[in-house]
Amino acid sequence: MNKRRPVRVLVVEDEPLLGQFSVRILEIVGGMEATLATDGIEGLEMAWKWRPDVILLDLVLPGISGLELLRRYRQEGGRAKVLVVTGINQEQVKNMAFALGADFLLRKPAQWEEILEQIRLMAGGLAGECEALLRKMGAPEGKKGFHQAAQCAALLGEGRCELLKEAYIEVAAKERTSPECISKNIERLAQTLHSEGSAFYYQLVGRGAEEPWLTNREFLNLLSQAARIPL
């Protein structure tokens, strides 16, 4: 199994105690690498120097505002995901943040469970979370259908495909195979899990090995929904 490096998170927060606490939560609870910038100018500099995967951004900052930081960062080609966490409750500010390139916005006081979940999804995408969940279920990573199931579940869970067949077609095009092959591989993976899966798998699906396995749609829906819960 290939071990992924920890997600790197830059916290831009002008309240030092809150910022230091955020870094500790990200590192200890989230298993991530984190560092702190306490003003907008330092935050912009650190975004280029440290190359984070995700920027956890407050909007009210000394130096330059969070919105100005975001504008300059995106204008100069910055590609890290940006999660805005703000106490400002104005629709105009929210719309401006998204227009300038924010990927997600949470209002203070946000729950840390929700913040960690969003960071995981933003850093690795839902497909990455689905793969992590499949490993926990006991799915063999080398088995055909492992990565295909994660990709299809992400397409459905993120709303990029509404129909299961559409997800098959998109993944098949990437892998230069047929939609029918994708469907069959996922079906076999679901069958293998149902007969050989971990106790966690049976707890998650609420079925025993002697009961029918999940259909592909049921399996992928379960995978995408459960992957949004921090492991």
Side-chain angles (χ1 to χ4, degrees):
M1 183 188 305
N2 294 328
K3 187 175 182 181
R4 293 185 296 174
R5 68 167 177 80
V7 174
R8 296 164 65 91
V9 183
L10 169 62
V11 179
V12 187
E13 169 59 60
D14 66 323
E15 296 183 26
L17 290 179
L18 177 57
Q20 291 165 12
F21 177 76
S22 300
V23 168
R24 288 181 62 82
I25 290 290
L26 291 165
E27 291 181 337
I28 296 172
V29 180
M32 305 173 186
E33 293 181 7
T35 192
L36 174 66
T38 55
D39 65 59
I41 294 175
E42 182 187 14
L44 186 58
E45 292 174 351
M46 286 297 297
W48 290 116
K49 179 181 178 181
W50 200 58
R51 300 290 178 180
D53 301 301
V54 178
I55 300 173
L56 188 60
L57 180 65
D58 189 16
L59 294 184
V60 180
L61 298 168
I64 59 174
S65 70
L67 289 175
E68 178 61 16
L69 184 159
L70 183 56
R71 185 190 70 79
R72 294 187 191 181
Y73 181 66
R74 291 297 191 221
Q75 190 174 56
E76 294 169 15
R79 299 179 64 181
K81 299 291 185 179
V82 177
L83 172 56
V84 172
V85 181
T86 180
I88 300 176
N89 190 20
Q90 296 178 11
E91 196 67 22
Q92 182 179 3
V93 172
K94 175 182 175 180
N95 293 338
M96 187 176 296
F98 284 122
L100 291 173
D103 295 281
F104 204 86
L105 185 145
L106 292 172
R107 299 200 184 280
K108 293 182 179 179
Q111 298 296 315
W112 268 106
E113 182 178 275
E114 187 176 11
I115 293 173
L116 291 171
E117 177 186 359
Q118 286 302 326
I119 290 174
R120 289 187 181 102
L121 290 173
M122 293 166 72
L126 186 54
E129 291 302 306
C130 288
E131 289 186 0
L133 186 62
L134 283 169
R135 295 185 190 100
K136 191 172 182 181
M137 287 179 176
E141 188 166 351
K143 186 174 180 63
K144 289 183 179 180
F146 181 95
H147 298 291
Q148 295 166 352
Q151 292 176 61
C152 285
L155 289 169
L156 295 167
E158 293 171 349
R160 289 182 284 158
C161 290
E162 293 185 6
L163 301 177
L164 184 56
K165 187 174 182 180
E166 292 175 343
Y168 291 158
I169 291 171
E170 183 162 336
V171 174
K174 291 180 181 177
E175 302 207 356
R176 297 182 179 180
T177 187
S178 69
E180 293 75 20
C181 184
I182 299 294
S183 175
K184 182 56 68 175
N185 288 342
I186 293 173
E187 182 180 8
R188 288 172 178 162
L189 178 67
Q191 291 176 11
T192 298
L193 272 175
H194 200 70
S195 60
E196 305 173 8
S198 65
F200 173 75
Y201 166 80
Y202 295 113
Q203 180 183 1
L204 195 62
V205 301
R207 297 185 186 182
E210 71 284 355
E211 298 178 79
W213 57 76
L214 302 179
T215 66
N216 280 13
R217 184 76 203 211
E218 290 172 335
F219 178 63
L220 295 174
N221 283 346
L222 175 72
L223 186 58
S224 65
Q225 291 167 14
R228 295 180 180 274
I229 303 172
L231 298 175

